[in-house]
Amino acid sequence: MHNLMRDEESRELLVQQYYQQIMSCWGMEQIKSIVRKWELLRTNVGSFPADEPVLLPEYLWFSRSGTGKSEMLQLLAGYLDAAQIMPFNGMEKVIEFTLEYCEENEPFTELENLIKYLSASSGYHNEFKGILAVNLDNWLPHLDNPHFIEFLEFLSEHNRSLLLILIAWPDENYMDKLEKMLSVYLRIHTVMIEMPKAQEMFDFIEVKLERYHCRLSEEAGSILLKTLAVLRDLEGFDGYKTLEFMVQEIVYNYYCGNEVASHVIGPEVLEEFRADGRFISQYKKRYDRKERLRSAGFRPGF
């Protein structure tokens, strides 16, 4: 009995560790609201007799690249597993899959690839149980394609063993259509994951710089905040990935200089990070090159 109590205490400690990590993530307010509901769910599940588990709904995340989705998926899996809200079985808790487009008159090889992936992740002898996150961006102009309907039918038949999270970043013309189509086959709950505001990105960078014993002077901070406002609105801006890159560049530039005793980063260190500076210019060129590669059939990662 004593060991069981200690195991339960350890499990509860792990649950709260994951919960606090989720709540401390930058942004993601709608996801945090969902996790607060899950906290109530796990408290209330034992209050009624049930032979069947309470199945979580499926989620549609409207989100562009760079909002921290992959990290959040891992945290959600850790929380759900520790809290015993849903079962997990397989070699990994989260599968992230990009569903490539298939023409209507061609074999639907992408669904076959997904099924193989799920089988491999289960160890080829059990059913995979965990989070399946599928990016649907390639299908947004093709929602009436019969292959897409076949994909949704497959998901609706296997949703008892999976927490389905479908991810897309459509323009307004496709948002409503995608949501309505998914709701025909799934218990879909929609989540909007906003790109962080300039001030939030600034706060993120300041926290990161503190780990290197650095802080921005008032003038340097003003320069960076203006740059972040421009960067946020650039086509192809990939959020926290770029912010991490910026931090590394700022720290490198600073510690390659002569005046580091004060650990205060002045405006001279941020010359290339001005709104009209080299960093923004190179970022635009980098995005343009990647778009040209994509149009040529390549799939470079950001």
Side-chain angles (χ1 to χ4, degrees):
M1 178 65 70
H2 180 66
N3 287 338
L4 287 175
M5 289 179 63
R6 290 188 62 181
D7 289 345
E8 185 63 25
E9 289 173 358
S10 297
R11 185 177 68 82
E12 183 60 28
L13 180 61
L14 186 59
V15 171
Q16 292 309 314
Q17 286 175 346
Y18 277 116
Y19 180 83
Q20 293 303 326
Q21 283 183 275
I22 292 168
M23 293 303 154
S24 64
C25 285
W26 296 88
M28 302 280 189
E29 295 307 318
Q30 290 190 21
I31 293 180
K32 292 176 186 177
S33 178
I34 290 169
V35 176
R36 292 187 190 99
K37 291 181 180 180
W38 291 349
E39 275 286 275
L40 294 172
L41 173 64
R42 75 186 186 97
T43 301
N44 294 327
V45 160
S47 65
F48 60 91
D51 297 326
E52 293 287 342
V54 176
L55 297 179
L56 300 177
E58 293 77 41
Y59 293 95
L60 171 60
W61 287 7
F62 285 134
S63 174
R64 61 190 285 185
S65 174
T67 53
K69 295 184 294 297
S70 292
E71 179 184 3
M72 178 57 77
L73 287 168
Q74 294 296 332
L75 290 175
L76 292 178
Y79 170 83
L80 289 167
D81 189 20
Q84 299 180 343
I85 293 175
M86 63 172 283
F88 284 81
N89 176 63
M91 301 171 66
E92 51 195 325
K93 289 185 172 66
V94 179
I95 291 176
E96 293 186 69
F97 189 86
T98 297
L99 194 71
E100 299 293 347
Y101 177 66
C102 291
E103 291 287 350
E104 183 175 337
N105 57 352
E106 295 178 355
F108 193 11
T109 55
E110 274 302 285
L111 181 56
E112 295 174 10
N113 291 338
L114 175 58
I115 293 170
K116 290 176 182 177
Y117 198 158
L118 290 169
S119 178
S121 296
S122 73
Y124 293 104
H125 53 81
N126 290 314
E127 184 179 32
F128 174 80
K129 295 180 180 179
I131 295 177
L132 173 61
V134 183
N135 187 293
L136 302 178
D137 281 340
N138 296 319
W139 289 83
L140 292 176
H142 313 286
L143 297 179
D144 296 326
N145 185 314
H147 287 326
F148 190 69
I149 305 302
E150 183 181 353
F151 166 70
L152 295 180
E153 289 175 342
F154 170 81
L155 294 183
S156 68
E157 293 170 2
H158 294 82
N159 60 350
R160 291 184 67 85
S161 61
L162 300 169
L163 172 57
L164 296 171
I165 298 178
L166 305 175
I167 301 170
W169 185 242
D171 59 31
E172 293 184 2
N173 294 330
Y174 292 113
M175 273 190 181
D176 187 57
K177 184 175 181 180
L178 177 61
E179 192 172 9
K180 286 180 178 178
M181 179 163 287
L182 295 181
S183 65
V184 173
Y185 296 89
L186 304 166
R187 288 170 52 214
I188 205 73
H189 288 207
T190 301
V191 175
M192 181 68 71
I193 303 178
E194 301 283 358
M195 187 60 73
K197 296 179 173 59
Q199 183 62 54
E200 291 174 320
M201 294 193 290
F202 181 83
D203 294 341
F204 174 86
I205 289 176
E206 279 202 312
V207 169
K208 293 290 184 179
L209 289 175
E210 286 176 3
R211 298 180 182 178
Y212 294 93
H213 297 166
C214 296
R215 64 183 179 85
L216 296 164
S217 71
E218 185 175 346
E219 188 177 352
S222 178
I223 290 171
L224 188 60
L225 193 56
K226 291 176 182 177
T227 300
L228 293 173
V230 172
L231 185 64
R232 183 184 187 274
D233 293 332
L234 287 182
E235 187 176 9
F237 173 55
D238 55 358
Y240 291 109
K241 295 178 184 178
T242 295
L243 300 186
E244 293 277 7
F245 181 76
M246 287 183 75
V247 169
Q248 293 302 320
E249 283 291 282
I250 292 170
V251 169
Y252 178 77
N253 288 351
Y254 178 67
Y255 281 112
C256 284
N258 293 318
E259 302 293 335
V260 299
S262 68
H263 294 283
V264 177
I265 297 174
E268 69 282 354
V269 178
L270 297 186
E271 279 302 313
E272 66 181 75
F273 293 95
R274 291 184 180 273
D276 58 353
R278 185 175 68 89
F279 184 86
I280 292 287
S281 176
Q282 288 190 337
Y283 194 89
K284 291 177 180 178
K285 292 177 181 177
R286 177 171 171 255
Y287 176 74
D288 289 341
R289 284 195 296 268
K290 286 183 175 180
E291 287 303 296
R292 287 197 296 270
L293 287 170
R294 281 195 175 89
S295 64
F298 294 95
R299 291 290 179 265
F302 274 87

